[in-house]
Amino acid sequence: MSYRLGLTGSIGMGKSTTAQMFAAEGVPVWDADATVHRLYGKGGAATRELALLYPEIVEEGAVSRPKLRALIAADPAVLDAVQAVVHPLVAADRAAFLTRATAPVVLLDIPLLFETGAEHLCDGIVVVSAPPEVQRSRLMARDAMSEAELAIILSRQMPDAEKRARATWVIETTTLDSAARSVKQILEEIRQRSADA
């Protein structure tokens, strides 16, 4: 059975980049965000269901993320309704990935790992972290996100300090080199644990 390594971290902490580093080491990655993108795509299962609740967020058969963000900014309760649709679909996709998994280590890249209770699926958990000013500058550069939008997202996420406290490993993502070294060290530790078991 594969060692199930969970990867999480608050928005803008460098989680996607770190997941790519694990993939470069030969670790199969299941990506919750990529799964959601697929489900929001043209003809996606979430698109069909969300079109019934919020038809104004669907354009050309796909969920418009800018329209969805604007709707959530106007009424934060919308996020709960969207998550009630999306989370079960995401869970089913993840279960299918784990059923097919044969590699010694697989990575579950889950932004809301603790918030959704998915930590029980993992044998170990990596939390990526960076100082708040680095997080904010990454988000403003990458997503052109407003302070209000960021505040809503962060209010829905467990604080970084609490995630770090619950982690098996913490990867500081302030530099690519240090993050890559941490990835290699974690994989070596997992291999060593497996050999000693």
Side-chain angles (χ1 to χ4, degrees):
M1 182 184 225
S2 299
Y3 184 97
R4 298 175 178 185
L5 183 60
L7 176 68
T8 194
S10 296
I11 187 170
M13 291 295 196
K15 188 180 54 55
S16 297
T17 300
T18 305
Q20 291 169 3
M21 292 175 181
F22 278 102
E25 294 293 324
V27 176
V29 175
W30 179 82
D31 182 335
D33 283 343
T35 301
V36 171
H37 279 280
R38 193 170 63 253
L39 292 168
Y40 281 1
K42 192 169 187 176
T47 300
R48 290 191 300 273
E49 292 189 39
L50 291 174
L52 298 174
L53 294 173
Y54 307 109
E56 66 273 25
I57 66 169
V58 177
E59 285 182 343
E60 298 177 14
V63 171
S64 163
R65 284 182 171 266
K67 287 188 174 184
L68 178 58
R69 276 202 307 265
L71 191 63
I72 291 168
D75 180 3
V78 169
L79 184 57
D80 292 327
V82 170
Q83 288 177 339
V85 168
V86 175
H87 284 180
L89 297 169
V90 170
D93 190 87
R94 181 180 60 233
F97 169 84
L98 290 171
T99 299
R100 297 187 306 268
T102 58
V105 179
V106 295
L107 189 75
L108 301 176
D109 177 352
I110 307 175
L112 300 176
L113 187 140
F114 294 120
E115 294 86 343
T116 59
E119 67 266 29
H120 74 279
L121 298 169
C122 305
D123 299 307
I125 297 171
V126 172
V127 168
V128 294
S129 186
E133 62 275 9
V134 173
Q135 177 190 32
R136 181 168 264 94
S137 68
R138 286 174 179 168
L139 289 170
M140 296 306 155
R142 182 185 79 192
D143 295 336
M145 188 176 291
S146 73
E147 292 289 339
E149 289 170 327
L150 177 58
I152 290 169
I153 291 169
L154 291 178
S155 74
R156 296 291 186 140
Q157 296 186 347
M158 182 181 290
D160 182 54
E162 190 174 342
K163 287 181 181 181
R164 292 168 67 102
R166 294 174 68 172
T168 314
W169 297 278
V170 175
I171 295 179
E172 299 288 345
T173 62
T174 48
T175 72
L176 293 174
D177 287 344
S178 67
R181 281 194 302 274
S182 294
V183 165
K184 290 177 187 293
Q185 289 167 356
I186 290 166
L187 290 173
E188 183 54 39
E189 191 174 328
I190 291 169
R191 289 185 194 105
Q192 192 60 52
R193 286 182 186 183
S194 298
D196 292 344

